[in-house]
Amino acid sequence: MTPFRANLKEVWSRLAWQDLASTAVVAGGLLAAVFEFNGGFFSFLKYLAVLAGIYLLFRLIGWWRNRLLWSLRNRLIVAYLFIAAVPILSIVTLVVLAARILYSQLGAYLLYEDIHQRINMIADISEHIAIAHQTLPPSVTEAESERILASQSHAVHDRELPGLSIRFSNDQTLSGKVIPAGKRSFAGLLQEGDVLFLASLRIIPDRKGERVVTLRVLVNPEFLSTVAPDLGGIQLNLMERYTGGPQPALYRSGDAQYIAAHRIVASNRTIQNAMFWIDSPVDVVTRLDSVYVGGDGSVELARPVFAASNARPSRLNGRIFTSLGELRDSYVIFFILLGIVFVLVEAAALATGIVLTRRITRAVADLYRGTQYVQAMDFSHRVQIERRDQLGELAESFNKMTGSIAELIEEENKRRRLENEISIAREVQNQLFPSTLPSVPGVEIEAICKAARSVSGDYYDFIQLSPTHIAIAIADISGKGISAALLMASLQAALRSQMLYEGSERLGMAELVSRLNKHLVRNTGDDRFATFFIAVYDSATRTLRYTNAGHLPAFLICKSTSAQLDKGGMVLGVMEDYVYEEGSLTVGPDSLLIGYSDGLIEPENVYGEEFGIRRLQETAVRLQGAAPLMVAESLMAAAEEWAGTPEQADDMTVIVARLR
């Protein structure tokens, strides 16, 4: 089967019914568009074809991306494109957009500045007329004075201001509306209905009072053809207030809305020819404010007038670089040379990237083939090292790895065997703890042990010696893990061998602990020891006999008072002939005996403070009336809450006995 047919078969196997349906819809839409079928059904079919085409495009992109990016070489090429090419294209795009915005604003400035320059020219003419009108000799009549001044102005400014109209009048109706309060002149755009003027109104003193000189230039296609010669076509859009009705083109200024009402298009103005292929025209839009005078005499002091035009960047560049003179050509040559250097650097970077990509992908391909040998359980294959670079070091590391895989597999097998042994040890240890609680009248016992590891080094035991006697023991073996569990098993066996014979309830606690101490000293190393506490309670006489061999003192709570059981001696397994002391006391009614390991009081909070014996006693006193199981669980919860984390640094054990 050829690769093309194989790829085609793979694509066909990946197609879902949605893909087939979308393909059919796209084909139907294309046929309807080619044969120009129109109507409700065909229009809807074309709409569905667009949606189906978008769906198929995303499906194709996803499939193509997965196929393309499977190869590391393609991934590196795509990464290089995103690192090098995409930022360059983004920068070029940003520069082009910024240049078009700059050119658009420059064109708007040229148009705006040219129109306002002519407005300022009209204002200057009106000011000169006012000054000259006051300085004429008395022998010249007002009519002659006005005719002379108008003729002089026309002779000087008709070229810049074609169609200039100069009129003198005593009527101040219009000037009173458009001239701001406290001023004596106005210059700007004046709109009367659909007619737009460059206008200047000035109040001048007269021999008989005041007169108004009005200068106007009609803004018509001929006038616009003389404005901003560096721009292309120019169009002014006169606006009118929107009063309702269907109208899509709305413009909001302040609280008012406007629509385009009348257009003035410059005659004989077209966009200039392009100087080179990238000399595409830019659009120019600027806003001009005019004073609008309605037919009913109403005045609007700021009605917008929109000027639209276009321009070639080459013509605008001429305006920008005119002042550079002879240096302009030097700057252009420098820019071209810099562009050539940039292209050469980019080409060198591309070539370097391709070479590095080939080296990297070749090394990765060799490593991939090596993994295939490893997968086939052939650890004799070695990757060839060509260069002493990081990839070469990687190949050497791979060779070392394949050389030690067999050893690692053996280590893994050993670890699994060890885990099995630990699991067996955990099961055996669980059997060492009492599976059933003894039944002694007036005694309720509960215990909880949480191991820090798979197996625990803490030990507790309950042994019923007679119908009224019960032995309660708790120990903490040095160390953790299996070694501590083995020592615990030895201690448990020794304890039960001493206690499970007739008359053991009369055995002294100090004597019992001495025997256990000798057993540990003779059968363990010098670095192994255990703390141990044992007590025998007689429910008939309410007597509690105990010995504490270096263990944290248990405490007996009765009526909100707590007594520590600390008589005994040193830890087990250190000194063979050590003599231990026995403690005895009478238990009050409804007392609570609490035994615990150091893992319950050593948890630290975020400030490094331990939970401590005092807090444990206070918590137990508060829970004195609760059931033993609730007391045990609450003490565990209090220690964990103090630490603020469920992780344990040591085994945690607590026993609670209610002595009614």
Side-chain angles (χ1 to χ4, degrees):
M1 183 180 294
T2 62
F4 175 77
R5 294 183 61 186
N7 292 334
L8 187 62
K9 184 177 180 180
E10 181 182 359
V11 172
W12 178 260
S13 64
R14 290 176 176 267
L15 290 178
W17 67 268
Q18 299 93 334
D19 304 328
L20 297 176
S22 300
T23 304
V25 171
V26 170
L30 289 175
L31 290 176
V34 170
F35 293 103
E36 298 182 354
F37 293 148
N38 297 316
F41 171 76
F42 292 107
S43 299
F44 182 67
L45 180 62
K46 294 176 184 178
Y47 172 73
L48 288 181
V50 173
L51 297 181
I54 295 174
Y55 166 76
L56 290 177
L57 178 62
F58 276 100
R59 287 279 293 169
L60 180 62
I61 290 175
W63 176 82
W64 177 78
R65 182 191 60 185
N66 293 335
R67 293 275 298 180
L68 175 68
L69 298 184
W70 184 88
S71 170
L72 177 62
R73 176 173 299 178
N74 294 339
R75 285 177 179 264
L76 290 175
I77 292 175
V78 172
Y80 176 75
L81 290 177
F82 276 97
I83 293 173
V86 172
I88 292 174
L89 292 177
S90 300
I91 293 173
V92 171
T93 302
L94 181 62
V95 170
V96 170
L97 292 177
R100 294 187 69 86
I101 294 173
L102 177 63
Y103 286 131
S104 176
Q105 293 301 307
L106 177 59
Y109 169 77
L110 294 177
L111 180 59
Y112 180 89
E113 184 66 18
D114 198 334
I115 291 177
H116 279 77
Q117 182 179 0
R118 302 191 186 211
I119 292 174
N120 294 334
M121 188 180 298
I122 294 176
D124 291 340
I125 294 172
S126 64
E127 183 179 2
H128 294 160
I129 290 175
I131 295 172
H133 188 72
Q134 297 177 17
T135 58
L136 288 176
S139 58
V140 180
T141 63
E142 291 181 354
E144 292 177 349
S145 171
E146 293 169 357
R147 180 178 57 78
I148 294 171
L149 294 175
S151 299
Q152 293 176 348
S153 299
H154 281 297
V156 176
H157 299 288
D158 273 354
R159 183 174 181 179
E160 295 86 354
L161 303 171
L164 175 63
S165 169
I166 302 175
R167 187 171 64 87
F168 294 86
S169 172
N170 293 324
D171 185 5
Q172 298 188 16
T173 303
L174 180 60
S175 62
K177 295 179 180 179
V178 302
I179 295 178
K183 303 290 184 179
R184 298 184 63 84
S185 64
F186 161 81
L189 292 174
L190 180 65
Q191 182 179 349
E192 294 180 347
D194 290 339
V195 182
L196 185 65
F197 299 95
L198 304 183
S200 174
L201 284 75
R202 180 176 291 274
I203 301 174
I204 60 176
D206 192 72
R207 297 170 185 173
K208 298 180 180 180
E210 291 181 338
R211 287 172 65 82
V212 179
V213 57
T214 304
L215 285 76
R216 297 190 183 190
V217 175
L218 178 63
V219 179
N220 54 18
E222 290 73 19
F223 172 78
L224 289 181
S225 64
T226 65
V227 174
D230 292 308
L231 304 182
I234 299 176
Q235 174 181 297
L236 296 184
N237 296 310
L238 305 185
M239 313 297 286
E240 68 178 16
R241 282 182 177 269
Y242 175 68
T243 57
Q247 178 56 253
L250 295 177
Y251 174 76
R252 180 181 295 275
S253 178
D255 297 331
Q257 290 183 329
Y258 297 91
I259 60 175
H262 182 66
R263 293 177 175 83
I264 305 173
V265 182
S267 61
N268 301 323
R269 288 287 292 266
T270 58
I271 189 69
Q272 301 89 348
N273 295 327
M275 295 185 64
F276 35 84
W277 63 273
I278 61 173
D279 192 18
S280 60
V282 294
D283 296 325
V284 178
V285 178
T286 185
R287 168 180 167 162
L288 304 170
D289 288 329
S290 67
V291 175
Y292 175 78
V293 179
D296 57 354
S298 61
V299 176
E300 185 178 346
L301 296 179
R303 172 166 290 193
V305 174
F306 284 96
S309 180
N310 51 21
R312 294 283 184 187
S314 58
R315 293 296 297 269
L316 298 178
N317 285 337
R319 291 294 300 270
I320 295 174
F321 296 106
T322 300
S323 60
L324 295 179
E326 294 298 328
L327 293 178
R328 178 176 59 186
D329 296 336
S330 300
Y331 283 124
V332 172
I333 294 173
F334 174 76
F335 181 78
I336 294 174
L337 292 176
L338 187 62
I340 294 174
V341 171
F342 179 81
V343 171
L344 293 176
V345 170
E346 181 65 19
L350 179 62
T352 303
I354 293 174
V355 171
L356 292 178
T357 299
R358 290 180 61 86
R359 290 180 180 177
I360 294 172
T361 54
R362 186 183 299 113
V364 173
D366 292 340
L367 289 173
Y368 177 73
R369 285 193 296 271
T371 59
Q372 298 300 309
Y373 283 98
V374 173
Q375 187 176 2
M377 304 301 293
D378 181 4
F379 305 122
S380 62
H381 176 76
R382 294 294 181 266
V383 177
Q384 185 177 0
I385 301 174
E386 297 180 355
R387 294 177 179 84
R388 284 297 176 180
D389 52 9
Q390 191 173 22
L391 291 174
E393 293 294 330
L394 179 61
E396 185 176 357
S397 298
F398 180 84
N399 293 335
K400 292 180 180 179
M401 179 192 69
T402 55
S404 59
I405 283 182
E407 182 179 350
L408 293 177
I409 292 176
E410 181 63 25
E411 292 293 333
E412 176 65 16
N413 293 332
K414 290 181 181 179
R415 186 185 65 82
R416 290 181 179 178
R417 288 195 296 269
L418 180 60
E419 288 181 352
N420 293 333
E421 293 173 358
I422 292 175
S423 177
I424 295 173
R426 182 167 58 250
E427 293 177 1
V428 172
Q429 186 183 51
N430 290 335
Q431 296 176 0
L432 297 179
F433 291 109
S435 57
T436 59
L437 298 178
S439 177
V440 176
V443 179
E444 300 175 14
I445 300 177
E446 292 290 346
I448 298 176
C449 179
K450 291 185 178 181
R453 296 183 181 178
S454 299
V455 291
S456 172
D458 287 356
Y459 165 63
Y460 69 89
D461 208 348
F462 308 126
I463 306 173
Q464 187 168 356
L465 307 178
S466 73
T468 60
H469 288 78
I470 183 173
I472 302 172
I474 184 171
D476 188 357
I477 312 301
S478 64
K480 298 179 181 64
I482 293 180
S483 61
L486 293 176
L487 185 57
M488 165 193 164
S490 175
L491 179 63
Q492 190 257 9
L495 173 63
R496 292 209 166 222
S497 67
Q498 294 292 327
M499 300 296 291
L500 295 178
Y501 67 89
E502 185 178 355
S504 59
E505 68 273 11
R506 294 185 297 274
L507 178 65
M509 295 298 98
E511 176 64 20
L512 172 64
V513 173
S514 296
R515 295 176 182 179
L516 295 177
N517 179 50
K518 290 181 180 180
H519 170 76
L520 290 184
V521 170
R522 294 176 181 181
N523 294 282
T524 61
D526 295 338
D527 59 338
R528 311 301 294 174
F529 62 89
T531 64
F532 184 71
F533 171 84
I534 187 168
V536 173
Y537 175 65
D538 183 0
S539 62
T541 62
R542 304 193 66 81
T543 302
L544 181 71
R545 297 180 294 115
Y546 71 92
T547 294
N548 189 335
H551 196 78
L552 293 171
F555 46 87
L556 185 67
I557 300 174
C558 183
K559 297 180 181 180
S560 301
T561 61
S562 177
Q564 292 191 356
L565 310 182
D566 53 2
K567 290 185 178 181
M570 66 184 302
V571 297
L572 304 181
V574 176
M575 185 180 298
E576 181 175 352
D577 297 326
Y578 187 82
V579 178
Y580 290 90
E581 181 183 1
E582 179 179 304
S584 178
L585 51 85
T586 301
V587 179
D590 201 20
S591 297
L592 200 64
L593 176 64
I594 307 292
Y596 53 94
S597 65
D598 56 359
L600 193 64
I601 64 170
E602 291 178 351
E604 297 180 351
N605 62 8
V606 294
Y607 303 105
E609 299 174 337
E610 289 188 351
F611 183 60
I613 298 177
R614 180 178 60 82
R615 293 185 178 87
L616 185 67
Q617 287 180 333
E618 292 174 353
T619 305
V621 169
R622 288 197 301 270
L623 299 168
Q624 182 179 359
L629 179 59
M630 181 177 293
V631 174
E633 291 177 345
S634 300
L635 293 178
M636 284 284 186
E640 292 175 352
E641 182 179 358
W642 177 264
T645 174
E647 297 181 0
Q648 295 179 221
D650 198 0
D651 303 325
M652 300 173 64
T653 303
V654 61
I655 58 175
V656 179
R658 172 74 66 186
L659 308 179
R660 297 285 183 186

